[in-house]
């Protein structure tokens, strides 16, 4: 059975992020290498993915006090790729920006996503009401 390779890649990245969240840093180094090798084999590693792997490799050795600053730098880098159509797949399959924003703001990722959803609804409401009244 041949599953879509891109979905397998992002499932592995999600697995990697879950271990990061759980604090399984003893596993993270070898797991990061393994996921990177798997994704590099497809020979289409995006710049967002490259930046993510660079960040993960260095974050294991970063002190807790400077980790937030490292997340802020990482967030700035990946936000620069958001409008790039060649990087769209990374943002479509994995809400990496919201995850990093949750780390920077020290809030749950669910709160970040809910806030973005509410903001998008507010933006849509004026357009919908003018369309109905016309």
């Amino acid at each position: 059975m041949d599953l879509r390779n891109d979905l397998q890649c992002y499932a592995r990245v999600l697995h990697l992020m879950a271990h990061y969240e759980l604090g399984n840093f003893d596993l993270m180094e070898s797991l990061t290498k393994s996921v990177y090798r798997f994704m590099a084999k497809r020979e289409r590693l995006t710049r967002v993915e490259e930046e993510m792997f660079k960040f993960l490799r260095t974050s294991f050795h970063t002190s807790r006090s400077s980790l937030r600053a490292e997340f802020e730098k990482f967030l700035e880098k990946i936000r620069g790729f958001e409008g790039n159509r060649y990087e769209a797949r990374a943002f479509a399959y994995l809400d990496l920006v919201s995850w990093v924003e949750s780390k920077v703001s020290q809030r749950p990722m669910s709160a970040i996503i809910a806030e973005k959803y509410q903001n998008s609804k507010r933006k849509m409401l004026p357009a919908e009401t003018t369309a109905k009244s016309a």
Side-chain angles (χ1 to χ4, degrees), residues 85-111:
R85 68 184 188 134
Y86 299 110
E87 304 295 322
R89 184 176 290 167
F91 295 109
Y93 289 150
L94 191 62
D95 195 354
L96 192 59
V97 172
S98 293
W99 180 68
V100 178
E101 284 175 346
S102 76
K103 296 297 181 191
V104 169
S105 66
Q106 297 177 336
R107 295 174 25 209
M109 187 175 169
S110 59

Side-chain angles (χ1 to χ4, degrees), residues 44-70:
R44 290 185 304 155
L45 208 57
T46 67
R47 291 173 29 199
V48 171
E49 294 161 354
E50 287 282 357
E51 288 297 331
M52 179 192 59
F53 285 114
K54 276 188 219 175
F55 171 78
L56 288 173
R57 283 186 202 117
T58 59
S59 71
F60 309 133
H61 309 294
T62 305
S63 67
R64 282 268 190 226
S65 60
S66 60
L67 190 57
R68 187 173 179 187
E70 292 301 314

Side-chain angles (χ1 to χ4, degrees), residues 2-101:
D2 186 32
L3 292 174
R4 283 186 46 187
N5 196 19
D6 55 341
L7 293 178
Q8 280 186 316
C9 288
Y10 285 103
R12 288 175 187 238
V13 170
L14 194 57
H15 180 247
L16 186 63
M17 289 171 65
H19 281 290
Y20 190 94
E21 286 295 315
L22 291 170
N24 294 337
F25 298 117
D26 52 333
L27 271 177
M28 288 297 297
E29 199 162 346
S30 64
L31 191 57
T32 302
K33 287 178 186 176
S34 173
V35 174
Y36 179 81
R37 274 193 308 268
F38 179 82
M39 291 180 75
K41 279 183 187 177
R42 68 184 179 137
E43 299 175 357
R44 290 185 304 155
L45 208 57
T46 67
R47 291 173 29 199
V48 171
E49 294 161 354
E50 287 282 357
E51 288 297 331
M52 179 192 59
F53 285 114
K54 276 188 219 175
F55 171 78
L56 288 173
R57 283 186 202 117
T58 59
S59 71
F60 309 133
H61 309 294
T62 305
S63 67
R64 282 268 190 226
S65 60
S66 60
L67 190 57
R68 187 173 179 187
E70 292 301 314
F71 268 113
E72 288 172 354
K73 289 178 198 173
F74 178 50
L75 181 59
E76 189 176 317
K77 284 181 185 178
I78 61 175
R79 275 195 173 142
F81 296 121
E82 276 186 303
N84 186 327
R85 68 184 188 134
Y86 299 110
E87 304 295 322
R89 184 176 290 167
F91 295 109
Y93 289 150
L94 191 62
D95 195 354
L96 192 59
V97 172
S98 293
W99 180 68
V100 178
E101 284 175 346

